[in-house]
Amino acid sequence: MNLDKTIILASNSPRRKELLTNLGIPFEVRLKEVDESYSPELVKAEVAEYLAAHKATAYQEDLQPNEVLITADTIVCLDDKVLNKPYDHAEATRMLTHLSGRSHEVYTGVCLMSTEKSLVFHDVTTVHFRELSRDEIDYYINNYKPFDKAGSYGAQDWLGMVGIERIEGSYFNVMGLPVHRLYEELLSF
């Protein structure tokens, strides 16, 4: 992909870096600490889009005219409850126990920003988990330490391989970046 702009990824996520690399987009990583709190009135896609746009505003003043910034935020929703990154083993256990044997939605909000404009969009994927045993949940948490993952799991690692029965929508969205949609939006941005 040949873009006439420098792409800036404002994320330290190894999965997002891998996905952009595999998409063939050269990019630079820039990082800042950004508060990820949001209003409790926001629901589902609103949360993901708000957080992606909020992250982008932290970089807005530093952008150069030849740069396009990409920020993203992925959330897991079970019914209407947002499952963020777990604080500890107990919270991860609670989340995975609630997800076990059920389907849930994964929303990734993305913000593209330049010095001239910005665009915010999201993608949603429905993930169906089989029933997980307590031993499987403990094994996963102890060995994979999913404390940096919304909903306490990564689709690309052990629990995703043994627990996900099917996915409706983009697998890459569940990994943290809807690359099919991002590609289209970058081409027209």
Side-chain angles (χ1 to χ4, degrees):
M1 179 177 190
N2 187 12
L3 297 172
D4 61 347
K5 301 275 188 184
T6 300
I7 302 299
I8 307 299
L9 176 63
S11 174
N12 202 29
S13 162
R15 291 157 297 282
R16 289 191 182 115
K17 291 181 209 174
E18 175 189 357
L19 291 171
L20 266 187
T21 299
N22 290 344
L23 199 56
I25 297 176
F27 61 94
E28 299 172 17
V29 173
R30 289 193 195 150
L31 301 175
K32 286 187 178 189
E33 281 293 319
V34 179
D35 175 35
E36 294 190 22
S37 57
Y38 55 89
S39 168
E41 282 117 41
L42 298 177
V43 294
K44 298 185 177 186
E46 294 172 337
V47 174
E49 286 191 2
Y50 168 80
L51 289 172
H54 179 66
K55 289 176 183 179
T57 60
Y59 296 83
Q60 191 168 17
E61 291 182 9
D62 301 327
L63 278 177
Q64 300 301 310
N66 66 328
E67 296 176 332
V68 174
L69 177 74
I70 300 172
T71 57
D73 197 87
T74 300
I75 62 166
V76 171
C77 291
L78 181 62
D79 302 321
D80 287 331
K81 182 172 174 36
V82 175
L83 304 180
N84 292 309
K85 297 171 186 171
Y87 295 109
D88 57 20
H89 191 287
E91 188 176 28
T93 300
R94 277 192 299 279
M95 285 185 193
L96 293 174
T97 300
H98 289 306
L99 293 172
S100 176
R102 301 195 53 204
S103 62
H104 62 276
E105 296 167 321
V106 177
Y107 293 88
T108 299
V110 178
C111 181
L112 300 179
M113 181 180 283
S114 69
T115 54
E116 298 90 34
K117 60 185 175 178
S118 68
L119 170 71
V120 179
F121 61 91
H122 77 275
D123 197 30
V124 60
T125 303
T126 302
V127 179
H128 301 269
F129 265 147
R130 71 167 178 78
E131 196 73 39
L132 303 169
S133 72
R134 178 61 190 256
D135 286 344
E136 289 169 328
I137 291 170
D138 285 339
Y139 172 82
Y140 176 67
I141 295 168
N142 290 331
N143 290 282
Y144 291 86
K145 315 262 186 267
F147 306 113
D148 65 336
K149 295 174 174 58
S152 303
Y153 78 94
Q156 70 282 357
D157 57 30
W158 186 83
L159 193 71
M161 288 187 256
V162 303
I164 295 175
E165 291 182 323
R166 74 180 191 280
I167 292 177
E168 297 167 36
S170 169
Y171 169 74
F172 301 111
N173 185 58
V174 182
M175 285 180 64
L177 204 56
V179 289
H180 66 289
R181 177 86 187 269
L182 176 63
Y183 179 80
E184 292 172 9
E185 298 296 352
L186 279 172
L187 287 177
S188 62
F189 193 75

